[in-house]
Amino acid sequence: MEFLQFLSWACIVFTVGMFSTGLTDLKKMRASKSADNVQFLPFLTTCLNNLGWLYYGILKTDGTLVLVNTIGACLQSLYIFSYCHYTNDKRRVTSQTLLAGGVVCGGWLYFSVVLPQGESQLAQLGLTCSLFTISMYLSPLADLMEMVRTGSVERLSYSLTVATFLTSTSWTLYGLQLQDYYIMVPNTPGIVTSLIRFFLFWRFASVNQGVPSYKLIEI
């Protein structure tokens, strides 16, 4: 029980720390009064992911999931509203945000109204959240392959890699302790991709010694 409590706090601290990396982009936007060179979709997809896991945590009555994803959803909403304020392409950003809002509403209706309450509802929601999380962890693979081809880690954030590794490991162990494979399995790819990133840093560090390391363009 004490180990589970430790893992719970580890999940909270590491995950909130990872979500807070977006504050760097927020600071850049406020300083330049522009959203240029800041990616919007990661904010939007992370917010969707947070809302899905928040609902799963509510149904499962898991306080750790509820707390972490409430904070995450609030931070991502802040980043989204800030991006909308500073971007010049407001039509595209607004349409993407409205589409995401439609997905949230449709998902809520399906899981709350169409599906009967109980194990089936929780299982389908857990599976949906798991698949979405896995897709987010695997999405940078194309960029990682490009880094292998070019031999440069200039676009890779070391601090975010460490945060992702600690967060993924904490949630994997937390899910294992709860015997909840919907939590454990989707975080395993996060560990794998983080280890790949660590290898790339080790492999190409000497190649990039003359280049300012770890730019703020994070993947």
Side-chain angles (χ1 to χ4, degrees), residues 127-202:
L127 179 61
T128 302
C129 292
S130 296
L131 293 174
F132 194 83
T133 300
I134 290 172
S135 68
M136 289 184 64
Y137 275 132
L138 296 182
S139 60
L141 284 180
D143 290 323
L144 295 179
M145 293 176 64
E146 177 66 16
M147 291 174 194
V148 172
R149 188 184 67 81
T150 60
S152 172
V153 291
E154 185 181 352
R155 295 179 62 246
L156 200 57
S157 168
Y158 187 79
S159 60
L160 183 60
T161 301
V162 173
T164 302
F165 176 75
L166 294 174
T167 301
S168 303
T169 303
S170 299
W171 282 111
T172 299
L173 294 175
Y174 183 74
L176 183 62
Q177 283 292 112
L178 293 178
Q179 295 185 334
D180 188 329
Y181 295 103
Y182 296 122
I183 297 176
M184 184 185 73
V185 172
N187 284 284
T188 305
I191 299 176
V192 175
T193 55
S194 296
L195 292 175
I196 294 174
R197 295 179 188 189
F198 284 132
F199 172 77
L200 292 178
F201 278 115
W202 171 79

Side-chain angles (χ1 to χ4, degrees), residues 24-82:
T24 302
D25 288 327
L26 180 60
K27 184 178 179 180
K28 286 168 56 181
M29 289 188 288
R30 292 186 62 182
S32 64
K33 305 298 181 183
S34 170
D36 293 343
N37 299 321
V38 175
Q39 297 179 346
F40 176 68
L41 284 180
F43 298 149
L44 198 60
T45 55
T46 303
C47 188
L48 289 175
N49 196 44
N50 288 148
L51 292 174
W53 283 113
L54 173 59
Y55 190 27
Y56 181 79
I58 291 173
L59 293 181
K60 194 177 173 65
T61 62
D62 187 308
T64 303
L65 280 172
V66 171
L67 177 60
V68 164
N69 288 286
T70 298
I71 295 173
C74 290
L75 284 174
Q76 302 308 319
S77 297
L78 173 63
Y79 304 151
I80 290 169
F81 289 133
S82 298

Side-chain angles (χ1 to χ4, degrees), residues 84-141:
C84 290
H85 176 71
Y86 290 114
T87 185
N88 293 322
D89 194 1
K90 295 187 186 301
R91 176 176 295 182
R92 176 183 61 84
V93 171
T94 301
S95 63
Q96 290 177 346
T97 304
L98 290 176
L99 178 61
V103 170
V104 171
C105 292
W108 181 82
L109 286 173
Y110 176 74
F111 288 111
S112 298
V113 179
V114 177
L115 287 181
Q117 294 184 357
E119 289 298 322
S120 176
Q121 178 192 35
L122 191 64
Q124 288 198 38
L125 178 59
L127 179 61
T128 302
C129 292
S130 296
L131 293 174
F132 194 83
T133 300
I134 290 172
S135 68
M136 289 184 64
Y137 275 132
L138 296 182
S139 60
L141 284 180

